[in-house]
Amino acid sequence: MMESKTLTLAPSQPPGQALFPTLDSPHKTLTFHRIIVLLITFAAYASFHASRKPPSIVKSILGPEITTQNTTIPLSDQNPIQLDQNPVGIDTGWAPFNGSSGPHRLGELDLAFLSAYSLGMYFAGHIGDRIDLRVFLTTGMVGSGIFTILFGFGYFLDVHFFWFFVLVQVICGLFQSIGWPCVVAVVGNWFGKSKRGLIMGVWSSHTSVGNIIGSVVASAALGFGWGWSFVLPGIFILLVAVVVFLFLVVSPENVGFELPGTEVEMNVEGMALVNSETMESVESGVTGSEDEESLGAIGFLEAWRLPGVAPFAFCLFFSKLVSYTFLYWLPFYIRHTAVAGVHLSHKTAGILSSIFDIGGVIGGILAGYISDIIEARAVTSIVFLFLSIPALVFYRVFGSISMFTNILLMFISGLFVNGPYALITTAVAADLGTQSLIKGNSRALSTVTAIIDGTGSVGAALGPLLAGYISTKGWNSVFFMLILSLSVAGVLLIHVVKNEIKGKLNEGKWLWLSPIAH
């Protein structure tokens, strides 16, 4: 047997298996364990996103608002000339996020978290290849929970130092970066190449479900003080971490199952999974690959030249920029924009923002399902991207007419914006990870997937930061930035779409699209 250059520690048996011996085979089937793995990893990553949501919910409280004789109107909705006339009082928000530079500080806080998150992703993938994924995932969840709670303690301890909140967010971002590489690695151990669009679309809805949970919980807790908006989601992820530690089975071998050689399933945020023609030695805990040995590690520039990598990487940059801008700023926008002439409360704005994520759940599932039917990921992605442009225009122009139009247009926007984002980070990444040019080289896959999501994460970090600065000039400018980003994301896929259509025509399909392909 050829030995791999990378040693991987054999996963330990979860304590829950010892407490409940009937969970081992042959008492339970392979299908049963796969379902349990999907449910646990779904809950785990949903809890990560739930604990990531509070900063967006409390933005409108931390930032300043101007109080007039009749009502409280957010600073961004006031005319600067009118501000100098009859102000009765000023709600200064929470230092250091009060004053005219408050939105800037809030954007910088998002940048601190997302930059640490992006950087940590590469290290998390590298470390996760070498230690027990169950323990590593638990560590990330516990760390995320502790530092989410610690951010909330800034309220109870009356902390007003900007560096404190930045430091907490940086460390929390590093712990958060552990989550995705671990859950996709575990899912990759249990499922093969056939699991694509629809199934992965359903499973990847954990991000939107987590956002919804975080929005509802954090918004409901605002009445008791904004600190509780962090404490409760932090406790939630700690509780789920206990379940993960006790019951998550990292691979089928841990419960007596042996799967046939699997191909790489997917790696979205920094970590390659199981490669084809894998040879395993359970006794030594060493995993090797003949292809990997013969091919060697692929170069960084070589990975960029692989078909589809660069277009989808830059497309994800702009797509994730838009998605994360909504993630961190939508409650703030809703609070600062009158609906039917009325400014909503902090709590209502936070809960209402979950409609966008509900649309995202449907969008991710729908995009995966459609791409499975037509067998064209790029075509599906570009259609969703271009449809999201008028959706955002309508939401900005008509969303304030009534509560009904606001909810409807927000749902539609979430559906089209998060559809391609979810598709690229699941099925598309899986397709790129299994293309014939890579030939099962896990080191090549690690480089390719790091490029794709690393590029996307840079966009995710820049979007909220830019929104913080641009919002002070008016929300039309913010929406223009988002629409421009979606347009660029779509344009970047045009060449891939043309090749995809040509491929279908060569197979004798989609003949009615011949003029477009040529």
Side-chain angles (χ1 to χ4, degrees), residues 72-148:
T72 299
I73 303 178
L75 180 63
S76 58
D77 284 350
Q78 287 284 342
N79 185 310
I81 299 177
Q82 294 176 341
L83 292 180
D84 294 331
Q85 303 172 358
N86 9 302
V88 175
I90 298 179
D91 177 6
T92 57
W94 186 274
F97 307 106
N98 54 348
S100 59
S101 62
H104 299 172
R105 302 289 83 79
L106 292 170
E108 292 163 2
L109 198 63
D110 294 337
L111 178 66
F113 174 87
L114 293 168
S115 297
Y117 176 81
S118 303
L119 179 64
M121 193 70 65
Y122 299 103
F123 294 99
H126 185 74
I127 297 173
D129 278 331
R130 290 159 174 76
I131 67 175
D132 189 338
L133 285 171
R134 177 179 58 84
V135 176
F136 193 39
L137 178 58
T138 303
T139 301
M141 297 177 74
V142 171
S144 298
I146 291 174
F147 280 91
T148 298

Side-chain angles (χ1 to χ4, degrees), residues 470-481:
I470 298 176
S471 63
T472 59
K473 300 179 180 179
W475 287 106
N476 286 338
S477 300
V478 175
F479 273 80
F480 177 78
M481 175 194 74

Side-chain angles (χ1 to χ4, degrees), residues 482-502:
L482 299 178
I483 291 170
L484 180 62
S485 297
L486 291 170
S487 302
V488 174
V491 170
L492 288 168
L493 291 184
I494 290 178
H495 182 69
V496 181
V497 168
K498 291 184 65 176
N499 289 337
E500 209 168 55
I501 294 175
K502 287 181 180 178

Side-chain angles (χ1 to χ4, degrees), residues 27 85 95 102-103 239 242 253 284 290 308 330 338 401 436 478 495:
H27 303 287
Q85 303 172 358
L239 293 176
V242 174
E253 290 78 9
S284 63
E290 292 180 329
L330 183 56
I401 293 178
S436 59
V478 175
H495 182 69

Side-chain angles (χ1 to χ4, degrees), residues 254-306:
N254 290 117
V255 286
F257 291 103
E258 290 187 6
L259 299 183
T262 57
E263 297 188 20
V264 177
E265 173 56 32
M266 66 173 183
N267 176 344
V268 184
E269 298 192 52
M271 186 174 180
L273 308 183
V274 184
N275 59 293
S276 65
E277 299 184 19
T278 299
M279 299 184 298
E280 299 181 356
S281 174
V282 177
E283 294 83 3
S284 63
V286 177
T287 302
S289 170
E290 292 180 329
D291 286 338
E292 183 174 340
E293 288 291 338
S294 61
L295 290 175
I298 192 171
F300 183 79
L301 295 180
E302 291 177 283
W304 272 106
R305 288 194 291 266
L306 287 173

